[in-house]
Amino acid sequence: MRFFKGKLNVGKQVRHNIINKHKFYCEYDEFMLDRPANRLIHAALIKVKEFTRSAVNQKLLQELLFVFHEVPRSRDHKLDFTRLRLDRGMNYYHIPLEWCQIILDGLSPQTMKGYKNAASLLFPMEKVFEDYVAKVMAEQLSRTHPELTLTTQATGQHLASYDNRGKFSLRPDLLIKQGQQNKVVLDTKWKLLDTSVSHSNISQSDVYQMFAYAKKYLKRSSSLESVIDCGRDVVLIYPWQDNFASPLEHYFDLDDGHRLWVVPFKICEDQSHLMWPQAASSSIDLGSPVASV
């Protein structure tokens, strides 16, 4: 080279440039954008953009894709993975490339046995359980009780009012309605109960919560018609497990005619359903078919 860059290779300088002393035989690192690691990351970003719905993620993707604009995307990600050469100065590439492999190969992060490190995802299981119960109940209610509707995360009631304004919003997970009339309030809990223990390990705060739902969403009027039409049952739904394989036989009396039932929701491959106590199937406002929901 006609200028000095990096470090001088003395051996080759003496061997090749003994005459051309105005040139330098140099060794240096050249950072190139077009390399397998960058091509894989660019391809993964483009693929993620196709299915993300989060506004925050879309904004971040736009910024990252702008940075990778001059990097060509990988056309054959399997071939590029075989060409990867990550030295000590590229340790920060390892985790992004693990995610790239999951995204580009269409794999699913899951728990595995063995000694190989792999990226994983953590899901809020209480939300997953709530959404799954809502999906199953909505499908089954549409078949058995088409006149009923299922509302998730209902709003409109507050625990108290201050200066004629509602404070502390009450949002039950599930609310079954018939027209404009509330019939049953249900709330899912991703907890393990043990019926062999006194009170089945039911949290006192959960009962307080259902008490508030009953008083606010299932208000009972003094008129006879409203008393007949208004629901009176609230339900706590827990996952089915060996120590909680059947619903509690009796309900908790919350006064004013309100009853709290505690039932398991069985999740299985062939059929998921809510297990209802026999004592409630004949008196529940929705009728006996609810027992199969």
Side-chain angles (χ1 to χ4, degrees):
M1 302 184 64
R2 295 187 178 182
F3 56 90
F4 182 80
K5 182 178 181 180
K7 69 177 182 178
L8 182 68
N9 189 320
V10 179
K12 292 187 177 181
Q13 174 72 16
V14 173
R15 188 180 311 118
H16 298 286
N17 292 341
I18 190 65
I19 298 177
N20 297 327
K21 295 184 179 181
H22 61 286
K23 291 186 177 183
F24 302 93
Y25 209 105
C26 303
E27 292 182 359
Y28 61 92
D29 293 328
E30 184 174 2
F31 294 93
M32 301 177 60
L33 295 176
D34 187 5
R35 57 184 304 153
N38 290 339
R39 292 197 298 267
L40 290 168
I41 294 176
H42 191 185
L45 290 172
I46 293 175
K47 187 170 183 178
V48 170
K49 187 181 178 181
E50 296 175 358
F51 54 78
T52 183
R53 296 294 180 268
S54 169
V56 175
N57 288 340
Q58 289 178 351
K59 180 177 181 296
L60 182 59
L61 280 169
Q62 291 291 348
E63 296 174 358
L64 294 175
L65 287 172
F66 176 78
V67 174
F68 280 81
H69 177 70
E70 297 182 2
V71 179
R73 60 179 296 186
S74 176
R75 301 297 178 181
D76 187 347
H77 66 274
K78 294 185 181 297
L79 179 61
D80 277 340
F81 273 117
T82 62
R83 294 174 174 174
L84 278 177
R85 298 294 183 269
L86 302 181
D87 55 27
R88 292 181 300 175
M90 298 180 64
N91 291 332
Y92 48 85
Y93 267 89
H94 286 289
I95 293 179
L97 288 174
E98 288 179 359
W99 280 105
C100 288
Q101 189 162 15
I102 290 175
I103 295 169
L104 296 175
D105 288 341
L107 301 178
S108 175
Q110 57 185 347
T111 56
M112 295 173 289
K113 60 187 301 185
Y115 299 97
K116 180 177 177 56
N117 294 327
S120 299
L121 289 178
L122 296 178
F123 295 94
M125 287 307 301
E126 66 280 0
K127 181 61 177 175
V128 175
F129 181 60
E130 174 192 333
D131 291 344
Y132 183 68
V133 172
K135 179 179 182 296
V136 172
M137 289 194 64
E139 292 175 352
Q140 296 184 359
L141 278 177
S142 65
R143 295 195 301 267
T144 59
H145 290 82
E147 74 280 5
L148 302 177
T149 57
L150 183 69
T151 303
T152 59
Q153 293 296 316
T155 58
Q157 297 295 332
H158 297 80
L159 186 62
S161 60
Y162 178 79
D163 193 20
N164 295 324
R165 293 184 180 182
K167 297 293 183 181
F168 313 111
S169 177
L170 297 173
R171 300 171 63 92
D173 294 337
L174 305 169
L175 175 63
I176 297 178
K177 304 177 67 173
Q178 185 174 16
Q180 298 299 318
Q181 187 69 49
N182 298 336
K183 303 297 288 185
V184 181
V185 178
L186 307 99
D187 209 67
T188 59
K189 300 296 180 183
W190 184 250
K191 301 177 181 179
L192 297 179
L193 293 189
D194 188 351
T195 54
S196 63
V197 181
S198 177
H199 301 298
S200 301
N201 283 350
I202 298 175
S203 171
Q204 186 172 345
S205 61
D206 292 342
V207 178
Y208 284 157
Q209 185 180 22
M210 301 309 294
F211 180 84
Y213 290 160
K215 299 302 179 183
K216 293 296 182 177
Y217 279 91
L218 303 177
K219 294 179 181 178
R220 306 187 69 79
S221 174
S222 59
S223 65
L224 178 61
E225 181 181 357
S226 296
V227 171
I228 294 175
D229 292 340
C230 183
R232 56 177 177 164
D233 292 293
V234 291
V235 183
L236 274 174
I237 303 174
Y238 293 88
W240 180 95
Q241 47 114 11
D242 291 340
N243 293 330
F244 186 47
S246 60
L248 297 188
E249 183 178 357
H250 303 288
Y251 58 82
F252 292 90
D253 189 350
L254 301 181
D255 293 332
D256 295 333
H258 296 132
R259 305 176 302 183
L260 169 61
W261 300 92
V262 180
V263 300
F265 185 89
K266 189 170 186 178
I267 303 174
C268 52
E269 295 181 359
D270 53 345
Q271 183 181 8
S272 298
H273 60 279
L274 182 68
M275 303 178 68
W276 202 261
Q278 293 295 327
S281 60
S282 59
S283 58
I284 190 75
D285 298 286
L286 304 180
S288 58
V290 178
S292 63
V293 174

